[in-house]
Amino acid sequence: MAERVMQRRSWAEVLTGAIVLAVAALFLVYALGQSGRSLGLGAGGMTLTARFDRIDGLTPGADVRIGGVKIGSVVEQRIDPQTFLAVLRMQIQGDIHVPDDSSAEITSDGLLGGKYVALVPGGSDRNLADGGEIKITQSAVSLESLLGRFIFSVTELNANNQRNPEENAPANPPANSPAPAAPPARP
């Protein structure tokens, strides 16, 4: 009798484990579908490259967008040993035809958002072929660098004001301030 109870318990545990694994697999498939990424099966499309001075915060898997619409993703990033430029390889949809005078810029979703590559289509009649390179690029702007410059400027301005307060005083007194007293008349 005890053996039969143990056998039922084992099958219940196996069945519960299988259900948990199936739910986890469904969740993974759903999450991949919602993120726009794929498992790499049947990945088609076109590969483009672009060179940037800096790609701060951009990671493989980041979006490639035109007009805010995702058309691909960054698949590789490396350094060119001769020029020391960051080289991005991007996979984009095969049905998107990118003019050969298009530009690529690294931008962010917002103040705290992630970085992505924004493609700005040019007006050329010729399109980039698979493996082509986007020549016109704009590198990432470092928010930390801009903030540091702003803080330095404000600190420098404040230090100058404290050293020379008379230089920063208004040249003309305000209109509603009392006029200076006239010197006493001499007889």
mmCIF file of all heavy atoms in Angstrom, residues 45-89:
data_model
loop_
_atom_site.group_PDB
_atom_site.id
_atom_site.type_symbol
_atom_site.label_atom_id
_atom_site.label_comp_id
_atom_site.label_asym_id
_atom_site.label_seq_id
_atom_site.Cartn_x
_atom_site.Cartn_y
_atom_site.Cartn_z
ATOM 1 N N GLY A 45 17.137 38.715 -44.343
ATOM 2 C CA GLY A 45 17.346 40.139 -44.350
ATOM 3 C C GLY A 45 18.694 40.517 -44.911
ATOM 4 O O GLY A 45 19.353 39.736 -45.604
ATOM 5 N N MET A 46 19.110 41.707 -44.588
ATOM 6 C CA MET A 46 20.303 42.291 -45.159
ATOM 7 C C MET A 46 21.223 42.766 -44.031
ATOM 8 O O MET A 46 20.766 43.249 -43.010
ATOM 9 C CB MET A 46 19.881 43.468 -46.043
ATOM 10 C CG MET A 46 21.004 44.128 -46.766
ATOM 11 S SD MET A 46 20.438 45.280 -48.044
ATOM 12 C CE MET A 46 19.616 46.521 -47.099
ATOM 13 N N THR A 47 22.519 42.622 -44.254
ATOM 14 C CA THR A 47 23.508 43.061 -43.279
ATOM 15 C C THR A 47 24.153 44.353 -43.768
ATOM 16 O O THR A 47 24.567 44.447 -44.929
ATOM 17 C CB THR A 47 24.598 41.983 -43.091
ATOM 18 O OG1 THR A 47 23.972 40.775 -42.657
ATOM 19 C CG2 THR A 47 25.613 42.403 -42.069
ATOM 20 N N LEU A 48 24.208 45.352 -42.893
ATOM 21 C CA LEU A 48 24.868 46.616 -43.179
ATOM 22 C C LEU A 48 25.893 46.895 -42.090
ATOM 23 O O LEU A 48 25.744 46.421 -40.960
ATOM 24 C CB LEU A 48 23.858 47.765 -43.232
ATOM 25 C CG LEU A 48 22.775 47.696 -44.296
ATOM 26 C CD1 LEU A 48 21.794 48.852 -44.138
ATOM 27 C CD2 LEU A 48 23.390 47.715 -45.682
ATOM 28 N N THR A 49 26.907 47.686 -42.407
ATOM 29 C CA THR A 49 27.884 48.106 -41.405
ATOM 30 C C THR A 49 27.933 49.623 -41.368
ATOM 31 O O THR A 49 27.562 50.306 -42.329
ATOM 32 C CB THR A 49 29.305 47.562 -41.701
ATOM 33 O OG1 THR A 49 29.720 48.040 -42.973
ATOM 34 C CG2 THR A 49 29.352 46.057 -41.661
ATOM 35 N N ALA A 50 28.419 50.140 -40.244
ATOM 36 C CA ALA A 50 28.617 51.579 -40.071
ATOM 37 C C ALA A 50 29.740 51.777 -39.063
ATOM 38 O O ALA A 50 29.916 50.958 -38.153
ATOM 39 C CB ALA A 50 27.329 52.244 -39.591
ATOM 40 N N ARG A 51 30.515 52.852 -39.238
ATOM 41 C CA ARG A 51 31.643 53.164 -38.350
ATOM 42 C C ARG A 51 31.344 54.438 -37.573
ATOM 43 O O ARG A 51 30.889 55.423 -38.157
ATOM 44 C CB ARG A 51 32.922 53.337 -39.167
ATOM 45 C CG ARG A 51 33.320 52.101 -39.913
ATOM 46 C CD ARG A 51 34.471 52.368 -40.893
ATOM 47 N NE ARG A 51 34.714 51.202 -41.714
ATOM 48 C CZ ARG A 51 35.531 50.220 -41.371
ATOM 49 N NH1 ARG A 51 36.200 50.288 -40.245
ATOM 50 N NH2 ARG A 51 35.681 49.173 -42.162
ATOM 51 N N PHE A 52 31.618 54.384 -36.264
ATOM 52 C CA PHE A 52 31.339 55.515 -35.381
ATOM 53 C C PHE A 52 32.561 55.840 -34.533
ATOM 54 O O PHE A 52 33.350 54.950 -34.216
ATOM 55 C CB PHE A 52 30.179 55.161 -34.429
ATOM 56 C CG PHE A 52 28.865 54.934 -35.115
ATOM 57 C CD1 PHE A 52 28.517 53.676 -35.571
ATOM 58 C CD2 PHE A 52 27.979 55.973 -35.303
ATOM 59 C CE1 PHE A 52 27.302 53.455 -36.202
ATOM 60 C CE2 PHE A 52 26.767 55.765 -35.932
ATOM 61 C CZ PHE A 52 26.420 54.498 -36.378
ATOM 62 N N ASP A 53 32.680 57.116 -34.135
ATOM 63 C CA ASP A 53 33.739 57.513 -33.202
ATOM 64 C C ASP A 53 33.519 56.871 -31.839
ATOM 65 O O ASP A 53 34.453 56.428 -31.192
ATOM 66 C CB ASP A 53 33.776 59.035 -33.020
ATOM 67 C CG ASP A 53 34.268 59.755 -34.261
ATOM 68 O OD1 ASP A 53 35.024 59.144 -35.037
ATOM 69 O OD2 ASP A 53 33.888 60.921 -34.453
ATOM 70 N N ARG A 54 32.271 56.866 -31.412
ATOM 71 C CA ARG A 54 31.923 56.281 -30.113
ATOM 72 C C ARG A 54 30.502 55.744 -30.155
ATOM 73 O O ARG A 54 29.640 56.300 -30.823
ATOM 74 C CB ARG A 54 32.116 57.279 -28.976
ATOM 75 C CG ARG A 54 31.372 58.567 -29.116
ATOM 76 C CD ARG A 54 31.674 59.611 -28.039
ATOM 77 N NE ARG A 54 31.736 59.048 -26.731
ATOM 78 C CZ ARG A 54 32.785 59.206 -25.893
ATOM 79 N NH1 ARG A 54 33.809 59.919 -26.260
ATOM 80 N NH2 ARG A 54 32.778 58.657 -24.702
ATOM 81 N N ILE A 55 30.286 54.659 -29.419
ATOM 82 C CA ILE A 55 28.958 54.020 -29.385
ATOM 83 C C ILE A 55 28.501 53.820 -27.947
ATOM 84 O O ILE A 55 27.857 52.833 -27.621
ATOM 85 C CB ILE A 55 28.961 52.682 -30.149
ATOM 86 C CG1 ILE A 55 29.981 51.713 -29.577
ATOM 87 C CG2 ILE A 55 29.186 52.902 -31.623
ATOM 88 C CD1 ILE A 55 29.846 50.299 -30.111
ATOM 89 N N ASP A 56 28.813 54.751 -27.074
ATOM 90 C CA ASP A 56 28.517 54.644 -25.642
ATOM 91 C C ASP A 56 27.128 54.096 -25.360
ATOM 92 O O ASP A 56 26.131 54.637 -25.816
ATOM 93 C CB ASP A 56 28.632 56.014 -24.970
ATOM 94 C CG ASP A 56 30.019 56.588 -25.025
ATOM 95 O OD1 ASP A 56 30.955 55.827 -25.315
ATOM 96 O OD2 ASP A 56 30.178 57.791 -24.778
ATOM 97 N N GLY A 57 27.059 52.998 -24.624
ATOM 98 C CA GLY A 57 25.795 52.437 -24.172
ATOM 99 C C GLY A 57 25.045 51.599 -25.178
ATOM 100 O O GLY A 57 23.979 51.065 -24.871
ATOM 101 N N LEU A 58 25.544 51.462 -26.388
ATOM 102 C CA LEU A 58 24.868 50.644 -27.396
ATOM 103 C C LEU A 58 25.380 49.214 -27.275
ATOM 104 O O LEU A 58 26.578 48.989 -27.199
ATOM 105 C CB LEU A 58 25.160 51.188 -28.795
ATOM 106 C CG LEU A 58 24.340 50.569 -29.914
ATOM 107 C CD1 LEU A 58 22.912 51.096 -29.863
ATOM 108 C CD2 LEU A 58 24.954 50.900 -31.249
ATOM 109 N N THR A 59 24.478 48.263 -27.242
ATOM 110 C CA THR A 59 24.869 46.868 -27.058
ATOM 111 C C THR A 59 24.360 46.015 -28.214
ATOM 112 O O THR A 59 23.410 46.404 -28.901
ATOM 113 C CB THR A 59 24.276 46.304 -25.746
ATOM 114 O OG1 THR A 59 22.851 46.437 -25.795
ATOM 115 C CG2 THR A 59 24.813 47.044 -24.534
ATOM 116 N N PRO A 60 24.990 44.865 -28.451
ATOM 117 C CA PRO A 60 24.431 43.950 -29.453
ATOM 118 C C PRO A 60 22.995 43.595 -29.088
ATOM 119 O O PRO A 60 22.668 43.407 -27.921
ATOM 120 C CB PRO A 60 25.346 42.730 -29.360
ATOM 121 C CG PRO A 60 26.640 43.271 -28.851
ATOM 122 C CD PRO A 60 26.249 44.370 -27.898
ATOM 123 N N GLY A 61 22.139 43.562 -30.082
ATOM 124 C CA GLY A 61 20.715 43.327 -29.850
ATOM 125 C C GLY A 61 19.917 44.618 -29.820
ATOM 126 O O GLY A 61 18.691 44.584 -29.818
ATOM 127 N N ALA A 62 20.613 45.775 -29.810
ATOM 128 C CA ALA A 62 19.911 47.060 -29.800
ATOM 129 C C ALA A 62 19.144 47.234 -31.112
ATOM 130 O O ALA A 62 19.514 46.681 -32.152
ATOM 131 C CB ALA A 62 20.902 48.200 -29.618
ATOM 132 N N ASP A 63 18.082 47.997 -31.059
ATOM 133 C CA ASP A 63 17.231 48.222 -32.227
ATOM 134 C C ASP A 63 17.935 49.042 -33.301
ATOM 135 O O ASP A 63 18.774 49.892 -33.002
ATOM 136 C CB ASP A 63 15.962 48.984 -31.837
ATOM 137 C CG ASP A 63 14.999 48.165 -31.008
ATOM 138 O OD1 ASP A 63 15.249 46.957 -30.822
ATOM 139 O OD2 ASP A 63 13.992 48.737 -30.547
ATOM 140 N N VAL A 64 17.549 48.806 -34.542
ATOM 141 C CA VAL A 64 17.853 49.680 -35.670
ATOM 142 C C VAL A 64 16.492 50.158 -36.156
ATOM 143 O O VAL A 64 15.609 49.345 -36.420
ATOM 144 C CB VAL A 64 18.613 48.936 -36.793
ATOM 145 C CG1 VAL A 64 18.823 49.847 -37.987
ATOM 146 C CG2 VAL A 64 19.935 48.400 -36.285
ATOM 147 N N ARG A 65 16.311 51.483 -36.238
ATOM 148 C CA ARG A 65 14.996 52.031 -36.559
ATOM 149 C C ARG A 65 15.075 53.042 -37.698
ATOM 150 O O ARG A 65 16.073 53.730 -37.863
ATOM 151 C CB ARG A 65 14.402 52.744 -35.346
ATOM 152 C CG ARG A 65 14.237 51.869 -34.130
ATOM 153 C CD ARG A 65 13.678 52.654 -32.978
ATOM 154 N NE ARG A 65 13.692 51.871 -31.747
ATOM 155 C CZ ARG A 65 13.329 52.342 -30.577
ATOM 156 N NH1 ARG A 65 12.936 53.596 -30.459
ATOM 157 N NH2 ARG A 65 13.364 51.573 -29.510
ATOM 158 N N ILE A 66 13.989 53.124 -38.430
ATOM 159 C CA ILE A 66 13.770 54.200 -39.396
ATOM 160 C C ILE A 66 12.455 54.856 -39.005
ATOM 161 O O ILE A 66 11.434 54.177 -38.908
ATOM 162 C CB ILE A 66 13.694 53.690 -40.850
ATOM 163 C CG1 ILE A 66 15.051 53.172 -41.313
ATOM 164 C CG2 ILE A 66 13.224 54.810 -41.784
ATOM 165 C CD1 ILE A 66 15.067 52.644 -42.743
ATOM 166 N N GLY A 67 12.491 56.151 -38.759
ATOM 167 C CA GLY A 67 11.278 56.870 -38.374
ATOM 168 C C GLY A 67 10.665 56.355 -37.091
ATOM 169 O O GLY A 67 9.468 56.442 -36.908
ATOM 170 N N GLY A 68 11.470 55.783 -36.206
ATOM 171 C CA GLY A 68 10.981 55.265 -34.933
ATOM 172 C C GLY A 68 10.456 53.841 -34.999
ATOM 173 O O GLY A 68 10.078 53.278 -33.981
ATOM 174 N N VAL A 69 10.423 53.242 -36.197
ATOM 175 C CA VAL A 69 9.917 51.882 -36.361
ATOM 176 C C VAL A 69 11.097 50.922 -36.455
ATOM 177 O O VAL A 69 12.006 51.125 -37.258
ATOM 178 C CB VAL A 69 9.051 51.766 -37.633
ATOM 179 C CG1 VAL A 69 8.579 50.335 -37.844
ATOM 180 C CG2 VAL A 69 7.872 52.721 -37.554
ATOM 181 N N LYS A 70 11.061 49.870 -35.653
ATOM 182 C CA LYS A 70 12.154 48.895 -35.656
ATOM 183 C C LYS A 70 12.168 48.127 -36.963
ATOM 184 O O LYS A 70 11.165 47.552 -37.372
ATOM 185 C CB LYS A 70 12.001 47.927 -34.485
ATOM 186 C CG LYS A 70 13.126 46.909 -34.439
ATOM 187 C CD LYS A 70 13.011 45.965 -33.277
ATOM 188 C CE LYS A 70 14.138 44.947 -33.379
ATOM 189 N NZ LYS A 70 14.164 44.023 -32.297
ATOM 190 N N ILE A 71 13.359 48.129 -37.601
ATOM 191 C CA ILE A 71 13.520 47.384 -38.854
ATOM 192 C C ILE A 71 14.646 46.360 -38.757
ATOM 193 O O ILE A 71 14.920 45.653 -39.720
ATOM 194 C CB ILE A 71 13.790 48.324 -40.044
ATOM 195 C CG1 ILE A 71 15.075 49.113 -39.808
ATOM 196 C CG2 ILE A 71 12.612 49.228 -40.305
ATOM 197 C CD1 ILE A 71 15.725 49.594 -41.074
ATOM 198 N N GLY A 72 15.298 46.289 -37.610
ATOM 199 C CA GLY A 72 16.405 45.349 -37.454
ATOM 200 C C GLY A 72 17.068 45.505 -36.106
ATOM 201 O O GLY A 72 16.526 46.138 -35.207
ATOM 202 N N SER A 73 18.265 44.919 -35.998
ATOM 203 C CA SER A 73 18.996 45.013 -34.735
ATOM 204 C C SER A 73 20.497 44.943 -34.988
ATOM 205 O O SER A 73 20.955 44.498 -36.038
ATOM 206 C CB SER A 73 18.562 43.904 -33.772
ATOM 207 O OG SER A 73 18.805 42.643 -34.341
ATOM 208 N N VAL A 74 21.243 45.413 -33.994
ATOM 209 C CA VAL A 74 22.698 45.370 -34.032
ATOM 210 C C VAL A 74 23.116 43.944 -33.683
ATOM 211 O O VAL A 74 22.682 43.399 -32.672
ATOM 212 C CB VAL A 74 23.307 46.363 -33.015
ATOM 213 C CG1 VAL A 74 24.812 46.225 -32.948
ATOM 214 C CG2 VAL A 74 22.899 47.788 -33.348
ATOM 215 N N VAL A 75 23.924 43.318 -34.537
ATOM 216 C CA VAL A 75 24.320 41.929 -34.299
ATOM 217 C C VAL A 75 25.769 41.798 -33.842
ATOM 218 O O VAL A 75 26.143 40.779 -33.266
ATOM 219 C CB VAL A 75 24.070 41.028 -35.527
ATOM 220 C CG1 VAL A 75 22.591 40.877 -35.779
ATOM 221 C CG2 VAL A 75 24.773 41.537 -36.755
ATOM 222 N N GLU A 76 26.593 42.832 -34.111
ATOM 223 C CA GLU A 76 28.001 42.737 -33.707
ATOM 224 C C GLU A 76 28.576 44.135 -33.585
ATOM 225 O O GLU A 76 28.196 45.052 -34.313
ATOM 226 C CB GLU A 76 28.788 41.954 -34.760
ATOM 227 C CG GLU A 76 30.265 41.825 -34.448
ATOM 228 C CD GLU A 76 31.070 41.236 -35.605
ATOM 229 O OE1 GLU A 76 30.569 41.192 -36.747
ATOM 230 O OE2 GLU A 76 32.203 40.832 -35.348
ATOM 231 N N GLN A 77 29.514 44.280 -32.660
ATOM 232 C CA GLN A 77 30.275 45.516 -32.553
ATOM 233 C C GLN A 77 31.733 45.160 -32.290
ATOM 234 O O GLN A 77 32.026 44.211 -31.576
ATOM 235 C CB GLN A 77 29.722 46.424 -31.450
ATOM 236 C CG GLN A 77 29.696 45.826 -30.073
ATOM 237 C CD GLN A 77 28.986 46.715 -29.079
ATOM 238 O OE1 GLN A 77 28.138 47.512 -29.437
ATOM 239 N NE2 GLN A 77 29.330 46.578 -27.819
ATOM 240 N N ARG A 78 32.628 45.897 -32.941
ATOM 241 C CA ARG A 78 34.051 45.638 -32.786
ATOM 242 C C ARG A 78 34.818 46.927 -33.044
ATOM 243 O O ARG A 78 34.252 47.914 -33.502
ATOM 244 C CB ARG A 78 34.514 44.542 -33.736
ATOM 245 C CG ARG A 78 34.376 44.870 -35.199
ATOM 246 C CD ARG A 78 34.850 43.747 -36.122
ATOM 247 N NE ARG A 78 34.618 44.059 -37.498
ATOM 248 C CZ ARG A 78 35.399 44.827 -38.258
ATOM 249 N NH1 ARG A 78 36.488 45.362 -37.740
ATOM 250 N NH2 ARG A 78 35.112 45.067 -39.515
ATOM 251 N N ILE A 79 36.122 46.889 -32.791
ATOM 252 C CA ILE A 79 36.998 48.027 -33.049
ATOM 253 C C ILE A 79 37.834 47.735 -34.294
ATOM 254 O O ILE A 79 38.403 46.653 -34.422
ATOM 255 C CB ILE A 79 37.930 48.287 -31.842
ATOM 256 C CG1 ILE A 79 37.143 48.783 -30.642
ATOM 257 C CG2 ILE A 79 39.032 49.275 -32.180
ATOM 258 C CD1 ILE A 79 36.583 50.178 -30.803
ATOM 259 N N ASP A 80 37.914 48.712 -35.195
ATOM 260 C CA ASP A 80 38.806 48.600 -36.347
ATOM 261 C C ASP A 80 40.221 48.908 -35.842
ATOM 262 O O ASP A 80 40.480 50.012 -35.351
ATOM 263 C CB ASP A 80 38.394 49.605 -37.421
ATOM 264 C CG ASP A 80 39.241 49.518 -38.673
ATOM 265 O OD1 ASP A 80 40.382 49.015 -38.603
ATOM 266 O OD2 ASP A 80 38.765 49.959 -39.727
ATOM 267 N N PRO A 81 41.168 47.953 -35.926
ATOM 268 C CA PRO A 81 42.501 48.166 -35.349
ATOM 269 C C PRO A 81 43.315 49.248 -36.054
ATOM 270 O O PRO A 81 44.237 49.790 -35.465
ATOM 271 C CB PRO A 81 43.179 46.800 -35.471
ATOM 272 C CG PRO A 81 42.361 45.999 -36.408
ATOM 273 C CD PRO A 81 41.003 46.618 -36.489
ATOM 274 N N GLN A 82 42.981 49.600 -37.292
ATOM 275 C CA GLN A 82 43.728 50.646 -37.993
ATOM 276 C C GLN A 82 43.218 52.045 -37.650
ATOM 277 O O GLN A 82 43.994 52.962 -37.444
ATOM 278 C CB GLN A 82 43.658 50.456 -39.520
ATOM 279 C CG GLN A 82 44.673 49.488 -40.083
ATOM 280 C CD GLN A 82 44.349 48.045 -39.757
ATOM 281 O OE1 GLN A 82 43.194 47.648 -39.785
ATOM 282 N NE2 GLN A 82 45.363 47.267 -39.431
ATOM 283 N N THR A 83 41.901 52.218 -37.612
ATOM 284 C CA THR A 83 41.334 53.553 -37.403
ATOM 285 C C THR A 83 40.837 53.777 -35.972
ATOM 286 O O THR A 83 40.535 54.907 -35.609
ATOM 287 C CB THR A 83 40.145 53.776 -38.354
ATOM 288 O OG1 THR A 83 39.124 52.821 -38.054
ATOM 289 C CG2 THR A 83 40.570 53.666 -39.801
ATOM 290 N N PHE A 84 40.728 52.711 -35.200
ATOM 291 C CA PHE A 84 40.189 52.753 -33.830
ATOM 292 C C PHE A 84 38.750 53.256 -33.785
ATOM 293 O O PHE A 84 38.303 53.799 -32.783
ATOM 294 C CB PHE A 84 41.087 53.576 -32.904
ATOM 295 C CG PHE A 84 42.469 53.013 -32.797
ATOM 296 C CD1 PHE A 84 43.530 53.622 -33.437
ATOM 297 C CD2 PHE A 84 42.706 51.855 -32.079
ATOM 298 C CE1 PHE A 84 44.806 53.094 -33.357
ATOM 299 C CE2 PHE A 84 43.973 51.315 -31.992
ATOM 300 C CZ PHE A 84 45.025 51.938 -32.636
ATOM 301 N N LEU A 85 38.023 53.069 -34.864
ATOM 302 C CA LEU A 85 36.603 53.392 -34.892
ATOM 303 C C LEU A 85 35.801 52.166 -34.486
ATOM 304 O O LEU A 85 36.219 51.027 -34.726
ATOM 305 C CB LEU A 85 36.175 53.842 -36.287
ATOM 306 C CG LEU A 85 36.756 55.163 -36.793
ATOM 307 C CD1 LEU A 85 36.331 55.404 -38.239
ATOM 308 C CD2 LEU A 85 36.312 56.322 -35.916
ATOM 309 N N ALA A 86 34.651 52.402 -33.876
ATOM 310 C CA ALA A 86 33.739 51.314 -33.539
ATOM 311 C C ALA A 86 32.967 50.932 -34.797
ATOM 312 O O ALA A 86 32.397 51.792 -35.471
ATOM 313 C CB ALA A 86 32.780 51.752 -32.440
ATOM 314 N N VAL A 87 32.983 49.651 -35.134
ATOM 315 C CA VAL A 87 32.298 49.151 -36.320
ATOM 316 C C VAL A 87 31.085 48.351 -35.873
ATOM 317 O O VAL A 87 31.210 47.402 -35.098
ATOM 318 C CB VAL A 87 33.233 48.265 -37.179
ATOM 319 C CG1 VAL A 87 32.502 47.762 -38.414
ATOM 320 C CG2 VAL A 87 34.491 49.027 -37.564
ATOM 321 N N LEU A 88 29.913 48.757 -36.351
ATOM 322 C CA LEU A 88 28.671 48.040 -36.032
ATOM 323 C C LEU A 88 28.236 47.250 -37.251
ATOM 324 O O LEU A 88 28.284 47.744 -38.373
ATOM 325 C CB LEU A 88 27.553 49.018 -35.673
ATOM 326 C CG LEU A 88 27.682 49.814 -34.402
ATOM 327 C CD1 LEU A 88 26.427 50.659 -34.206
ATOM 328 C CD2 LEU A 88 27.903 48.923 -33.208
ATOM 329 N N ARG A 89 27.794 46.029 -37.006
ATOM 330 C CA ARG A 89 27.159 45.220 -38.051
ATOM 331 C C ARG A 89 25.701 45.085 -37.660
ATOM 332 O O ARG A 89 25.383 44.693 -36.537
ATOM 333 C CB ARG A 89 27.826 43.857 -38.177
ATOM 334 C CG ARG A 89 27.383 43.098 -39.409
ATOM 335 C CD ARG A 89 28.267 41.904 -39.687
ATOM 336 N NE ARG A 89 28.333 41.016 -38.543
ATOM 337 C CZ ARG A 89 27.716 39.840 -38.470
ATOM 338 N NH1 ARG A 89 26.992 39.407 -39.470
ATOM 339 N NH2 ARG A 89 27.830 39.100 -37.395
#
